[in-house]
């Protein structure tokens, strides 16, 4: 079966099985990628029109108990200046973001022991009482089901937890022994069952990844049906065991964005910072391949460099108020508009 035929099947609403996904990735030519991108861009426009959703990202702590082999803020990296924002700093970021038009706040951090349920729930309640029209997304890693339940009850709307890879063998090569594939999947299932809008995702071109892994990622996402999927190229960080590994491929990342848009047309699909880091036009190219979300950084300037998951992280200046206008202008060139709304996934 040709790649075009498989792409057409996605457009027709068919589900692909694992060997189909594998075949599609194995045989896709540059022309097929262009074909998929055009159809994905059409699909994005059919569902969302010209609207691009924005999410204000606040990286509130870079303390992390995890030791993921790829990540610059892993526990064993002693070269990181660790920081933790105060409640007041976080709320200031939120107010600045709100004034600029953000209606989704993403609280992201390493797995910091100080981010207890009590503290997070209190923060959620404060945010929700000040701005009931803001959707709050948490991205604070693996926790117990009971913890997720409390966070949901305190008002968290969405949760981002990349699955990282849907292949258990591959997962074990990217993480230390104590961090298991099974627990990751348990977390994602719990989050979905508790009524969060859930985002999973993975890196493209992480060490040891092959098309078999990527096929499993796509197949997993097709079956799991998350509301959001974050994918971006792997980029090495100099103080990690993967320092010498090559970066992920941009074209492959774009193809995967397109295939996800075609498989799940209503998906929220960010053009990620990692993509913008490898290509100055990464954001626009991501959108033209089917992405419909951008996540500007609202963190205080003085901590941004310390939240380095990989080297040379883009600081595109598309942040906060003045940057937002620049982002607006950039997206205008490809016919897109940033919208002020919560930007929920269509049901
Ligand atoms: N390159 C690209 N993405 C990375 N992440 C972590 N380290 C890297 C890296 N070196 C991604 C992981 C994680 C998310 C917050 O950032 O997928 O889930």
């Amino acid at each position: 079966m040709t790649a075009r035929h498989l792409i057409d099947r996605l457009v027709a609403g068919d589900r692909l099985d694992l060997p189909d996904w594998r075949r599609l990735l194995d045989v896709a030519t540059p022309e097929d990628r262009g074909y998929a991108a055009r159809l994905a861009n059409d699909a994005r426009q059919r569902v969302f029109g010209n609207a691009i959703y924005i999410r204000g990202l606040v990286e509130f702590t870079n303390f992390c108990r995890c030791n993921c082999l790829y990540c610059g803020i892993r526990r064993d990296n002693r070269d990181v200046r660790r920081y933790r924002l105060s409640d007041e700093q976080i709320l200031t970021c939120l107010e600045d973001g709100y004034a600029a038009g953000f209606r989704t706040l993403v609280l992201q951090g390493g797995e910091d022991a100080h981010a207890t349920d009590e503290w997070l729930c209190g923060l959620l309640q404060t945010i929700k009482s000040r701005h009931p029209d803001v959707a709050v997304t948490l991205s604070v890693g693996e926790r117990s089901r009971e913890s997720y339940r409390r966070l949901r009850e305190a008002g968290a709307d969405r949760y981002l937890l990349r699955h990282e890879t849907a292949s258990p063998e591959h997962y074990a090569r990217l993480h230390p022994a104590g961090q298991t594939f099974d627990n990751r999947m348990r977390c994602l299932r719990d989050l979905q069952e508790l009524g969060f809008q859930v985002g999973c995702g993975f890196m493209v071109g992480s060490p040891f990844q092959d098309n078999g892994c990527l096929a499993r990622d796509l197949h997993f996402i097709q079956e799991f049906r998350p509301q959001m999927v974050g994918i971006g190229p792997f980029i090495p960080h100099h103080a990690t065991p993967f320092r010498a590994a090559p970066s992920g491929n941009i074209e492959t990342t774009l193809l995967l964005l397109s295939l996800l848009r075609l498989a799940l047309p209503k998906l929220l699909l960010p053009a990620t910072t990692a993509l913008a880091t490898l290509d100055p036009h990464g954001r626009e190219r991501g959108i033209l391949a089917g992405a419909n979300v951008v996540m500007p950084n609202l963190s205080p300037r003085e901590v941004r460099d310390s939240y380095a998951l990989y080297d040379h992280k883009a600081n595109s200046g598309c942040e906060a108020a003045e940057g937002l206008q620049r982002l607006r202008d950039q997206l205008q060139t490809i016919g897109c508009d940033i919208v002020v709304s919560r930007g929920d996934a269509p049901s």
Side-chain angles (χ1 to χ4, degrees):
M1 206 177 288
T2 65
R4 276 196 181 228
H5 183 76
L6 291 163
I7 292 166
D8 290 341
R9 279 182 53 198
L10 286 175
V11 175
D14 279 1
R15 279 160 50 193
L16 302 189
D17 62 17
L18 192 56
D20 286 338
W21 281 117
R22 174 67 196 258
R23 171 146 185 89
L24 178 45
L25 295 172
D26 283 345
V27 304
T29 62
E31 290 70 37
D32 295 325
R33 292 200 293 260
Y35 182 66
R38 282 193 299 281
L39 289 167
N41 194 45
D42 292 346
R44 175 182 62 72
Q45 284 177 334
R46 260 197 311 281
V47 180
F48 298 97
N50 294 333
I52 299 297
Y53 296 154
I54 50 170
R55 281 78 169 86
L57 184 64
V58 179
E59 297 157 337
F60 71 91
T61 177
N62 70 354
F63 285 89
C64 194
R65 67 169 85 99
C66 298
N67 220 7
C68 309
L69 275 70
Y70 45 83
C71 184
I73 62 166
R74 64 200 303 269
R75 183 183 62 223
D76 284 356
N77 183 5
R78 301 270 171 261
D79 288 342
V80 188
R81 197 166 52 84
R82 302 284 171 175
Y83 73 89
R84 182 181 298 124
L85 300 184
S86 65
D87 292 31
E88 196 186 314
Q89 281 176 303
I90 295 171
L91 293 169
T92 303
C93 294
L94 167 66
E95 294 303 337
D96 292 350
Y98 192 90
F102 289 92
R103 294 297 177 269
T104 290
L105 180 70
V106 183
L107 288 173
Q108 184 170 83
E111 294 197 16
D112 181 347
H114 280 69
T116 60
D117 293 347
E118 291 69 28
W119 177 74
L120 277 169
C121 288
L123 185 63
L124 283 162
Q125 280 149 3
T126 307
I127 294 171
K128 284 287 179 167
S129 63
R130 290 200 194 171
H131 294 293
D133 54 337
V134 163
V136 182
T137 304
L138 292 179
S139 180
V140 291
E142 297 180 17
R143 304 173 77 95
S144 67
R145 184 183 175 100
E146 176 58 15
S147 170
Y148 289 146
R149 195 192 60 71
R150 292 175 69 181
L151 297 171
R152 176 86 186 106
E153 202 174 81
D157 301 279
R158 309 182 183 137
Y159 203 102
L160 306 181
L161 183 71
R162 290 190 177 181
H163 64 283
E164 308 300 357
T165 170
S167 153
E169 305 76 40
H170 186 214
Y171 197 94
R173 302 181 80 170
L174 300 181
H175 300 95
Q179 293 177 234
T180 66
F181 176 78
D182 288 350
N183 196 51
R184 198 72 168 184
M185 288 294 161
R186 189 274 304 161
C187 289
L188 284 166
R189 273 193 311 274
D190 281 348
L191 289 162
Q192 202 170 53
E193 286 168 14
L194 288 163
F196 284 95
Q197 298 173 39
V198 178
C200 62
F202 59 95
M203 295 176 286
V204 180
S206 60
F208 314 115
Q209 184 183 66
D210 58 19
N211 281 346
C213 299
L214 290 174
R216 277 180 171 237
D217 288 322
L218 294 173
H219 187 253
F220 165 71
I221 291 166
Q222 170 190 272
E223 301 303 312
F224 183 64
R225 305 184 73 79
Q227 276 76 26
M228 182 157 180
V229 175
I231 65 173
F234 163 77
I235 303 172
H237 184 287
H238 64 275
T240 64
F242 293 154
R243 61 179 66 83
S247 290
N249 181 280
I250 296 175
E251 312 303 329
T252 309
T253 307
L254 296 172
L255 171 66
L256 294 166
L257 286 171
S258 299
L259 297 178
L260 286 169
R261 169 63 62 216
L262 294 176
L264 299 171
K266 296 175 181 172
L267 201 58
L268 299 168
L269 206 48
T272 54
T273 306
L275 190 57
T277 296
L278 286 191
D279 182 334
H281 296 292
R283 287 222 165 92
E284 296 95 302
R285 292 184 72 192
I287 289 167
L288 293 173
N292 70 322
V293 175
V294 288
M295 301 174 66
N297 195 332
L298 296 182
S299 308
R301 231 155 260 286
E302 61 274 19
V303 303
R304 276 191 208 161
D305 288 344
S306 302
Y307 201 86
L309 309 184
Y310 44 82
D311 289 335
H312 314 298
K313 186 174 151 198
N315 222 324
S316 63
C318 284
E319 335 310 325
E322 53 335 323
L324 201 55
Q325 189 51 47
R326 227 165 326 157
L327 181 61
R328 216 172 244 126
D329 296 342
Q330 249 179 41
L331 297 185
Q332 207 105 81
T333 66
I334 54 167
C336 292
D337 288 323
I338 284 175
V339 295
V340 174
S341 84
R342 282 170 47 114
D344 285 298
S347 45

